[in-house]
Amino acid sequence: MSARTVVSLEESWLFQADTENQGMELQWYEQGPPSGEMVKIPHTWNVQNGLEEFRGTGWYSHDFYTPLEWKGKLLRLQFDAVYRDAVVWVNGKRVGEHTQSGYTPFIIEISDTVTFDAINRIVVSVNNENSQTALPMGNCFDWADDGGIIRGVSLLVSGRTAIDYSKLQAVPYFTDDMVGTRAPYGILSGEICLWEQARESECKSIKLKVMISSEKDFLTSNEWEMSGDEGVLSFQDIKVEHLKLWHFDHPHLYIVTIALYSDGVLTDEVCTAVGFREIRTEGNTLLLNREPVRLMGVEWMPGSNPMSGMAESVAQLKEMLHHMKHANCVITRFHWQQDSKLLEWCDRNGLLVQEEIPHWQTPQDPDDEWLNISMQHAQEMIHRHYNHPCIYAWGIGNEVNGQSTVTVRYFEELKSLVHGLDDTRFINYVSNTVHENPAQDATGVGDMVMWNDYIGTWHGELDRPQVIQNMTRGLPNKPLVVAEYGLCEPAFEGGDERRTQILVENTREYRKHPAIAALIYFSLNDYRTQMGEEGEGRLRQRVHGSISLDGTPKPSYEALRQLASPINLNVELEKEKAQVVVIVENRNDIPCYRISGYILKLVDQLGDCITVHIPDLSPGEKHVFYFTDIPENRWNELVLDIIRPTGFSVSSDSLMSYT
């Protein structure tokens, strides 16, 4: 039996919008809102009729029972995200607050506030008014500012000696000729940060036990006697033999169980997934597990379902993530911090993520006063998301006056501070100005050059090939990532036809430049945004996507899927021999990576299929399959499908489409 109990607190909350701003004066924190409606968490009021434009304070309350056997335990409330400024009361007593960051989790201890063997009441006030001291700042950011308890809430019950968070380093070791999805071994090391209560009153000897399992089997464990005086327990060098690597096509995970014992008693235990993978650069080449790769991706703007807004369900998150992988996209970025549940899906299904501090175009020329706010964001993001193998980079800003020397100095300082939190990942700044004067732009501060390319729209008419050459000369020895490109309507006209044209023509040009390591098309979806030029209320949006707000794919989505496919197919139908010849060629531009474990299927209308395994192919290699005894009259009922090791379809076409 685990020493930690996690109780979901997502059902039966009472909500009331404080439209008259009287909640504090009337002491709603004592009994909760007086005339609210019952809602389920996650929740936002900005998709409700009459409250779509309400920026102010909303009040929530929830009753929960605390059994007598929890007396003497450590009780903590975990909020996965509240947008934006939250104050929390339990039984009328103020127990904590969280401000200036609406997308990062926070935890509040309530051990001494609850009454045992009784019903207790949580009250939360939430304010989503524009702020000049929060990130994102003011009303200058391009996504929805939905207020509310927008992600999950849970109660954590454990012994007093307890874990706050862990930072685990899963490092693979390679042989010189290593190719494939395995490595001889890996080494797990880490730091376990103790909850404050343990630091203050439980500084006696602690036994730390770390166990590692694969998906099926227990592998190894180790334990140490340690002192909790410093509040951090460090361990190193747990060896995992015959290692399976994490890769976007082979997202192998290992389960790490961390247990704490105080005076021989198990007081806390958590399980977390890790992936052993190495991602680094060599000159302007991106290397994943020592393999040179060039990747294709797309950015998705969450919070865009008009029925749920930022309070998306796990099912809604998975639906959009599935669209990304179905489009053959393996890399993405998010302008703001995301739910751990979203990142867990990316871990399991193979999607590389850059998660970002929402420094979006503001403040212009940030000064040192912003460092504390940015570091609050960075600490809360990195401490809670450090163990996710899907995260390959932290983003520290997007389009913040990148040619300014003040901006450059600021992001140099911020990068140095973030590096102190995590020295195992890339740290990047995304620029929309690097094409102006590459050598002096703030993106040069980052480990990769990240460029939002809107030549032909926001950036005017420029010579794209020449611009790219200037960037690679001005910022040599770093990979270039095109972090955004696409068409934004209604600011620019042309519809999805022009969007497709931009996608196709730009991608073809980028493929010609070896320094470009990755492309991230913008965006997967039309998205709800408080600065949207089209629609009103919960339908205010920017038409920037290849999927409409209601989830309908546009023609540009299929164009994206074809461009992002790592495989070129050529099919020859030979009537005389009743033979189908399928030539599978691995691309050698963008995308460019070794394919392994792919399957080719010929499926008929009844679901019967012929299945063959595609041999491992390096970029540029091809393999020919011969399917005999398939008469012409059957061709129109057969579909050719190629499946990734993760189960996602690379391409699926009727045989007749090749005639």
Side-chain angles (χ1 to χ4, degrees):
M1 184 176 178
S2 176
R4 176 180 290 203
T5 300
V6 180
V7 181
S8 173
L9 301 180
E10 297 186 356
E11 301 286 344
S12 303
W13 285 73
L14 200 66
F15 165 75
Q16 184 174 343
D18 192 358
T19 55
E20 302 298 324
N21 200 26
Q22 59 184 357
M24 282 299 295
E25 180 182 352
L26 298 180
Q27 299 180 340
W28 287 3
Y29 52 84
E30 292 279 357
Q31 298 299 324
S35 57
E37 60 179 305
M38 199 63 68
V39 300
K40 181 180 179 180
I41 302 302
H43 174 264
T44 175
W45 61 74
N46 289 115
V47 295
Q48 294 182 211
N49 291 335
L51 295 177
E52 294 97 333
E53 304 293 347
F54 176 60
R55 273 73 182 171
T57 300
W59 288 79
Y60 295 83
S61 69
H62 175 76
D63 293 344
F64 69 102
Y65 174 72
T66 307
L68 190 59
E69 57 262 32
W70 287 356
K71 194 169 186 178
K73 299 281 190 180
L74 176 66
L75 275 65
R76 293 172 286 177
L77 287 175
Q78 176 171 304
F79 293 86
D80 294 335
V82 177
Y83 192 84
R84 187 198 55 246
D85 295 341
V87 182
V88 182
W89 292 263
V90 173
N91 297 332
K93 180 180 178 181
R94 181 171 172 149
V95 292
E97 67 177 11
H98 185 256
T99 62
Q100 299 177 329
S101 177
Y103 303 112
T104 50
F106 60 97
I107 299 175
I108 296 173
E109 183 179 347
I110 60 170
S111 308
D112 299 330
T113 313
V114 300
T115 302
F116 295 95
D117 193 23
I119 299 295
N120 296 268
R121 177 164 294 164
I122 305 166
V123 176
V124 184
S125 70
V126 183
N127 184 280
N128 74 330
E129 292 174 305
N130 294 332
S131 170
Q132 296 303 306
T133 60
L135 289 174
M137 177 183 172
N139 65 350
C140 184
F141 55 97
D142 191 17
W143 56 89
D145 58 344
D146 294 343
I149 304 177
I150 60 170
R151 295 181 192 153
V153 183
S154 52
L155 176 65
L156 312 180
V157 183
S158 68
R160 290 280 180 172
T161 302
I163 298 164
D164 188 3
Y165 59 87
S166 63
K167 297 170 74 173
L168 305 178
Q169 297 90 45
V171 180
Y173 285 79
F174 301 93
T175 58
D176 291 340
D177 58 348
M178 182 267 169
V179 176
T181 61
R182 295 176 179 267
Y185 67 93
I187 296 293
L188 184 77
S189 304
E191 295 179 351
I192 315 301
C193 184
L194 301 178
W195 185 251
E196 295 173 357
Q197 179 75 22
R199 300 180 200 173
E200 295 171 0
S201 61
E202 298 287 341
C203 293
K204 60 189 79 172
S205 177
I206 296 172
K207 184 173 80 171
L208 169 66
K209 185 174 183 179
V210 178
M211 295 158 280
I212 305 176
S213 302
S214 67
E215 295 176 346
K216 298 179 180 178
D217 303 308
F218 169 79
L219 298 178
T220 187
S221 69
N222 208 341
E223 56 186 61
W224 304 264
E225 293 287 341
M226 296 181 169
S227 169
D229 290 350
E230 300 300 321
V232 177
L233 308 177
S234 298
F235 71 91
Q236 54 188 313
D237 296 346
I238 300 180
K239 191 173 185 179
V240 179
E241 302 276 7
H242 311 297
L243 192 69
K244 292 182 178 180
L245 297 169
W246 190 96
H247 180 280
F248 52 77
D249 269 343
H250 304 274
H252 296 297
L253 296 175
Y254 291 83
I255 304 302
V256 180
T257 303
I258 304 165
L260 298 184
Y261 296 80
S262 180
D263 291 338
V265 177
L266 180 63
T267 62
D268 198 11
E269 186 176 45
V270 296
C271 293
T272 185
V274 301
F276 288 82
R277 58 112 180 96
E278 178 190 84
I279 187 164
R280 61 183 177 87
T281 64
E282 197 172 88
N284 52 31
T285 300
L286 181 64
L287 298 166
L288 176 60
N289 298 331
R290 304 291 170 96
E291 176 197 355
V293 295
R294 302 178 76 192
L295 307 178
M296 187 83 175
V298 66
E299 184 175 347
W300 157 47
M301 298 291 280
S304 294
N305 187 315
M307 301 307 295
S308 56
M310 283 290 181
E312 291 161 305
S313 67
V314 173
Q316 289 170 328
L317 296 174
K318 289 181 178 179
E319 179 182 3
M320 295 304 296
L321 289 162
H322 191 280
H323 280 307
M324 296 175 76
K325 285 288 287 192
H326 182 71
N328 290 310
C329 293
V330 300
I331 188 169
T332 191
R333 57 184 287 239
F334 292 102
H335 287 305
W336 65 97
Q337 301 93 339
Q338 298 301 311
D339 196 328
S340 293
K341 298 180 181 68
L342 182 157
L343 298 174
E344 288 166 5
W345 191 97
C346 297
D347 291 338
R348 291 192 304 271
N349 293 279
L351 188 63
L352 288 162
V353 173
Q354 175 168 300
E355 188 176 25
E356 301 178 7
I357 298 170
H359 253 307
W360 194 91
Q361 293 193 351
T362 53
Q364 291 283 315
D365 295 328
D367 55 29
D368 287 349
E369 292 182 6
W370 283 95
L371 284 174
N372 288 336
I373 297 171
S374 296
M375 283 304 292
Q376 174 194 340
H377 278 253
Q379 287 167 348
E380 293 175 352
M381 173 176 69
I382 294 171
H383 288 168
R384 302 301 167 188
H385 292 167
Y386 187 97
N387 296 334
H388 289 285
C390 68
I391 297 178
Y392 78 97
W394 306 114
I396 55 176
N398 179 81
E399 301 184 352
V400 187
N401 195 16
Q403 293 283 301
S404 163
T405 56
V406 174
T407 300
V408 172
R409 188 200 61 78
Y410 175 83
F411 282 115
E412 286 174 341
E413 179 66 17
L414 181 55
K415 182 191 175 186
S416 176
L417 293 170
V418 173
H419 189 266
L421 297 174
D422 185 358
D423 61 1
T424 70
R425 289 179 170 92
F426 301 139
I427 302 170
N428 297 321
Y429 165 78
V430 184
S431 175
N432 64 340
T433 54
V434 59
H435 57 278
E436 297 174 12
N437 187 339
Q440 75 175 32
D441 197 84
T443 194
V445 171
D447 296 308
M448 306 172 83
V449 176
M450 302 197 81
W451 174 43
N452 292 343
D453 174 12
Y454 290 107
I455 292 173
T457 56
W458 300 109
H459 292 159
E461 298 300 329
L462 301 171
D463 184 336
R464 180 172 285 105
Q466 187 62 51
V467 166
I468 295 172
Q469 291 172 17
N470 291 343
M471 283 193 290
T472 54
R473 282 197 297 263
L475 291 166
N477 299 318
K478 290 183 181 182
L480 171 60
V481 176
V482 181
E484 291 181 23
Y485 65 111
L487 177 70
C488 184
E489 299 176 87
F492 298 95
E493 298 177 346
D496 200 59
E497 183 178 354
R498 186 182 180 194
R499 181 172 296 105
T500 303
Q501 179 185 5
I502 289 172
L503 170 62
V504 172
E505 292 180 356
N506 284 25
T507 301
R508 287 174 177 169
E509 179 60 41
Y510 300 143
R511 285 171 170 167
K512 300 174 185 176
H513 300 269
I516 296 180
L519 309 177
I520 303 176
Y521 168 65
F522 189 83
S523 71
L524 178 68
N525 58 326
D526 297 340
Y527 56 95
R528 295 177 61 249
T529 169
Q530 49 91 32
M531 61 166 52
E533 302 97 338
E534 183 159 306
E536 296 181 351
R538 64 183 180 181
L539 296 177
R540 181 175 288 114
Q541 63 186 281
R542 275 189 159 170
V543 182
H544 215 320
S546 291
I547 296 176
S548 63
L549 210 62
D550 66 4
T552 303
K554 307 175 188 178
S556 59
Y557 177 81
E558 185 58 33
L560 172 65
R561 187 170 184 238
Q562 292 177 12
L563 288 167
S565 170
I567 291 173
N568 287 324
L569 275 181
N570 186 24
V571 178
E572 299 173 4
L573 304 175
E574 300 178 349
K575 298 178 183 179
E576 301 81 9
K577 298 180 181 180
Q579 179 172 263
V580 176
V581 181
V582 179
I583 304 167
V584 177
E585 180 185 17
N586 190 7
R587 293 197 68 94
N588 195 23
D589 40 42
I590 299 177
C592 180
Y593 48 84
R594 187 171 180 269
I595 65 169
S596 174
Y598 284 53
I599 293 173
L600 185 151
K601 291 183 177 182
L602 277 174
V603 186
D604 66 17
Q605 295 170 343
L606 298 176
D608 295 329
C609 66
I610 301 170
T611 300
V612 294
H613 291 270
I614 301 173
D616 294 358
L617 297 176
S618 296
E621 292 184 341
K622 64 178 64 175
H623 186 83
V624 183
F625 293 94
Y626 299 91
F627 297 95
T628 58
D629 301 322
I630 302 178
E632 182 181 358
N633 62 4
R634 286 199 62 206
W635 291 350
N636 64 351
E637 66 183 45
L638 291 175
V639 171
L640 179 65
D641 202 0
I642 293 180
I643 310 295
R644 290 178 182 265
T646 48
F648 292 91
S649 174
V650 176
S651 60
S652 183
D653 294 295
S654 167
L655 270 192
M656 296 307 293
S657 66
Y658 293 97
T659 58

